[in-house]
């Protein structure tokens, strides 16, 4: 038995862990032809309300009684306009949905409300769709069906059979370098990079997902995977920042210059701000969702408590991102200070060279002067034979005037301060005599 994994793509998508159910799957019918083949990924599940789920055909029908369905559309993380995303959703969701339903799912920004009788929420951040820090998740919830739309792959969207935990088994680790499998106690084979990913997860104890038994369980599961995805990204940024700090401690001049040229920390700070915007959207939307679900008879009370816990996790995550942003700002400030110190050192060396060569320049300038034609410097007349000396005296007088202009303010301040002190002392003496 192999552990199915999704390899991270080049745009930084997180690895997703999915294991198929051991239950007998319903026959999957051929999907209807679409106008944009290959631009979306579609998954459809049927739940019997007893802890079992099956793959089903993409017909957008709702369940009956305790049965319910889940239809998930995954938009590719490619550079495209929002209008194109709407066209892709129209292609796969209309009918039975209409344009208003599609716009409520694909539009940017936070939203939570009722659209055409269904409860709709979305946490769609603006920004380029190909960015690793652009997150979009939207859901349309009815009593017996859920339709979700995500941008890129969200980890842990799949389910594991109840009572079969991957973390409680001993897998065989397959080395990606030499394709050898280390001996283990079971038939599960796990890739080495998947194992490394599990070590970086803050929620590794939840890597196996119980199958939801109600619509409210499914809604909590969708929001939980979204929060876990954000938490994984924050953890990855923390590890990257710690590695960079170690490099700075060990590195020298060349490494700091490279980081300044690449604008590494300003880019990281911008990514953190984008991530913070996504988290703030969640903090705004999910409390509203909890209030609206409270009035639904099909939404269980224990799932309301689960939503409260997820909202609290998001708030703590918001504080975490704020701390990371402060750390990045501090490191960038330190690099800017170091760069200023380097510039000041170079200016100091230039000033030292100026001190060395300035007297030489003055001497060569003085003895290289041609004073012919200047008043009092007619060398052919005996009465003005000292014209060169006259020019030098004039230069000294001008220099004294310039120095006096610079020295006058401090001298004036010292004189006025001395007069004030003298007047104050005389006033105190007179007062003491009168007393």
């Amino acid at each position: 038995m192999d552990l199915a994994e999704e390899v991270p793509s080049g745009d930084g998508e997180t690895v997703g862990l999915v294991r198929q159910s051991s239950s007998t799957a319903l026959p999957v019918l051929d999907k209807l032809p679409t106008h944009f083949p290959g631009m979306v990924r579609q998954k459809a599940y049927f739940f019997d309300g007893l802890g079992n789920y099956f793959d089903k055909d993409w017909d957008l029908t709702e369940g009956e009684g305790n049965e319910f369905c889940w239809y998930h559309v995954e938009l590719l993380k490619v550079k495209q306009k929002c209008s194109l995303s709407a066209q892709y959703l129209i292609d796969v969701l209309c009918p039975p949905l209409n344009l208003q339903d599609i716009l409520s799912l694909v539009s940017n920004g936070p939203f939570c409300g009722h659209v055409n009788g269904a409860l709709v929420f979305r946490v769609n951040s603006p920004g380029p769709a190909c960015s690793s820090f652009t997150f979009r998740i939207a859901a349309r919830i009815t009593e017996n069906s859920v339709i979700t739309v995500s941008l890129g792959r969200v980890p842990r969207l799949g389910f594991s059979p109840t009572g079969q935990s991957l973390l409680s088994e001993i897998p065989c680790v397959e080395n990606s370098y030499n394709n050898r499998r280390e001996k283990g106690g079971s038939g599960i084979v796990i890739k080495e990079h998947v194992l490394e990913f599990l070590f970086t997860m803050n929620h590794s104890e939840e890597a196996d997902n119980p199958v939801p038994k109600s619509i409210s369980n499914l809604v909590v599961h969708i929001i939980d995977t979204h929060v876990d995805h954000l938490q994984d990204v924050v953890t990855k940024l923390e590890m990257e920042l710690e590695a960079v700090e170690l490099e700075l401690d060990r590195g020298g001049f060349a490494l700091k210059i490279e980081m300044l040229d690449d604008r590494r920390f300003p880019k990281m700070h911008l990514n953190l701000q984008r991530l913070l915007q996504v988290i703030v959207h969640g903090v705004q939307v999910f409390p509203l969702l909890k209030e609206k679900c409270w009035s639904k008879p099909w939404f269980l009370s224990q799932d309301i408590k689960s939503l409260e816990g997820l909202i609290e996790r998001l708030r703590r995550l918001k504080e975490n991102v704020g701390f990371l942003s402060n750390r990045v700002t501090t490191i960038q400030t330190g690099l800017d200070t170091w760069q200023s110190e380097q510039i000041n050192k170079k200016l100091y060396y230039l000033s030292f060279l100026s001190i060395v060569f300035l007297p030489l320049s003055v001497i060569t300038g003085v003895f290289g002067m041609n004073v012919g034609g200047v008043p009092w410097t007619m060398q052919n007349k005996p009465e003005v034979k000292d014209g060169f000396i006259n020019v030098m005296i004039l230069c000294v007088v001008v220099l004294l005037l310039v120095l006096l202009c610079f020295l006058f303010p401090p001298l004036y301040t010292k004189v006025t301060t001395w007069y004030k002190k003298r007047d104050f002392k005389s006033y105190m003496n007179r007062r003491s005599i009168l007393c």
Side-chain angles (χ1 to χ4, degrees):
M1 179 171 57
D2 291 341
L3 174 65
E5 74 281 347
E6 296 176 356
V7 182
S9 61
D11 57 1
E13 294 181 14
T14 315
V15 179
L17 298 179
V18 179
R19 188 164 70 174
Q20 296 297 330
S21 171
S22 59
S23 304
T24 305
L26 293 177
V28 180
L29 301 179
D30 295 335
K31 297 177 182 177
L32 295 175
T34 60
H35 297 91
F36 307 99
M39 297 311 298
V40 296
R41 296 190 181 99
Q42 302 166 230
K43 297 179 182 178
Y45 302 106
F46 171 81
F47 302 86
D48 60 2
L50 302 175
N52 300 313
Y53 78 101
F54 313 92
D55 295 331
K56 71 183 301 291
D57 58 304
W58 189 268
D59 53 10
L60 297 178
T61 58
E62 297 191 0
E64 297 180 357
N66 293 329
E67 300 172 349
F68 55 96
C69 303
W70 179 23
Y71 303 94
H72 178 67
V73 182
E74 178 186 311
L75 299 173
L76 299 182
K77 291 182 73 70
V78 294
K79 189 175 182 180
Q80 61 185 9
K81 296 181 180 178
C82 189
S83 58
L84 284 178
S85 301
Q87 292 181 39
Y88 300 152
L89 292 184
I90 290 173
D91 193 31
V92 297
L93 296 178
C94 294
L97 302 189
N98 55 29
L99 183 58
Q100 184 181 10
D101 296 321
I102 298 301
L103 293 179
S104 65
L105 293 173
V106 78
S107 299
N108 288 330
F111 175 78
C112 182
H114 289 87
V115 179
N116 292 332
L119 179 60
V120 176
F121 76 87
R122 69 168 183 263
V123 187
N124 294 348
S125 63
C130 56
S131 173
S132 300
F133 295 90
T134 300
F135 299 88
R136 295 173 187 170
I137 184 73
R140 183 180 186 272
I141 308 166
T142 61
E143 187 174 356
N144 294 101
S145 72
V146 176
I147 299 175
T148 55
V149 179
S150 70
L151 180 63
R153 299 182 180 181
V154 181
R156 297 178 52 241
L157 273 182
F159 304 102
S160 297
T162 305
Q164 298 183 15
S165 174
L166 293 175
L167 301 178
S168 62
E169 298 174 351
I170 303 177
C172 297
V173 180
E174 182 176 354
N175 195 320
S176 58
Y177 297 102
N178 51 20
N179 293 327
R180 291 186 306 175
R181 297 184 179 182
E182 300 178 5
K183 294 182 179 180
S186 68
I188 295 178
V189 178
I190 183 171
K191 293 285 187 180
E192 185 177 13
H193 70 274
V194 178
L195 184 61
E196 292 178 357
F197 168 72
L198 288 174
F199 280 119
T200 63
M201 293 169 63
N202 284 339
H203 49 82
S204 58
E205 69 278 1
E206 302 173 0
D208 292 314
N209 309 318
V211 178
K213 297 182 179 180
S214 63
I215 282 287
S216 58
N217 289 159
L218 180 58
V219 172
V220 170
H221 167 73
I222 293 168
I223 298 175
D224 190 17
T225 55
H226 173 69
V227 175
D228 287 343
H229 194 183
L230 295 178
Q231 192 166 0
D232 290 340
V233 175
V234 173
T235 303
K236 184 178 178 181
L237 285 174
E238 287 178 344
M239 296 173 63
E240 181 182 353
L241 186 58
E242 290 176 358
V244 170
E245 289 175 346
L246 288 176
E247 288 181 7
L248 282 175
D249 292 338
R250 298 173 183 174
F253 182 87
L255 178 62
K256 294 179 180 178
I257 290 295
E258 181 182 355
M259 289 186 175
L260 286 170
D261 292 341
D262 294 342
R263 295 182 54 82
R264 187 168 184 177
F265 292 105
K267 292 177 183 176
M268 188 180 296
H269 192 272
L270 179 61
N271 291 333
L272 283 171
Q273 295 305 312
R274 290 177 177 173
L275 187 61
L276 182 62
Q277 185 181 34
V278 179
I279 297 174
V280 169
H281 285 175
V283 173
Q284 294 173 356
V285 169
F286 296 145
L288 295 176
L289 178 66
K290 185 194 72 172
E291 293 178 2
K292 294 183 181 299
C293 289
W294 185 270
S295 60
K296 304 294 182 181
W298 42 264
F299 209 94
L300 303 180
S301 58
Q302 59 264 30
D303 292 324
I304 294 291
K305 295 180 180 179
S306 300
L307 276 180
E308 293 176 352
L310 291 174
I311 294 170
E312 187 62 29
R313 279 183 60 191
L314 268 183
R315 289 171 179 164
R316 291 197 300 267
L317 203 60
K318 179 182 175 182
E319 296 178 358
N320 241 359
V321 174
F323 295 150
L324 285 178
S325 181
N326 292 336
R327 286 174 62 183
V328 171
T329 303
T330 303
I331 295 175
Q332 181 62 38
T333 303
L335 282 178
D336 292 339
T337 303
W338 174 84
Q339 189 178 31
S340 300
E341 292 176 354
Q342 298 301 313
I343 294 174
N344 291 334
K345 286 182 180 179
K346 293 178 181 178
L347 291 177
Y348 171 76
Y349 296 144
L350 289 176
S351 302
F352 182 76
L353 291 176
S354 301
I355 292 172
V356 172
F357 288 102
L358 184 59
L360 301 178
S361 301
V362 171
I363 294 173
T364 56
V366 169
F367 288 100
M369 282 193 303
N370 184 8
V371 297
V374 179
W376 317 311
T377 61
M378 296 180 182
Q379 304 297 325
N380 54 353
K381 293 184 179 182
E383 60 273 15
V384 289
K385 62 180 179 179
D386 295 330
F388 180 79
I389 297 176
N390 295 335
V391 171
M392 296 307 301
I393 293 173
L394 180 63
C395 292
V396 171
V397 171
V398 172
L399 178 62
L400 291 176
L401 288 175
V402 173
L403 291 176
L404 183 62
C405 291
F406 280 100
L407 294 176
F408 179 75
L411 288 176
Y412 177 78
T413 303
K414 288 184 179 180
V415 171
T416 53
T417 303
W418 180 77
Y419 271 111
K420 289 179 181 179
K421 288 182 178 180
R422 191 189 65 175
D423 294 341
F424 180 74
K425 287 181 180 180
S426 61
Y427 170 76
M428 293 300 294
N429 291 333
R430 290 197 303 269
R431 187 175 180 180
S432 61
I433 291 172
L434 291 176
C435 293

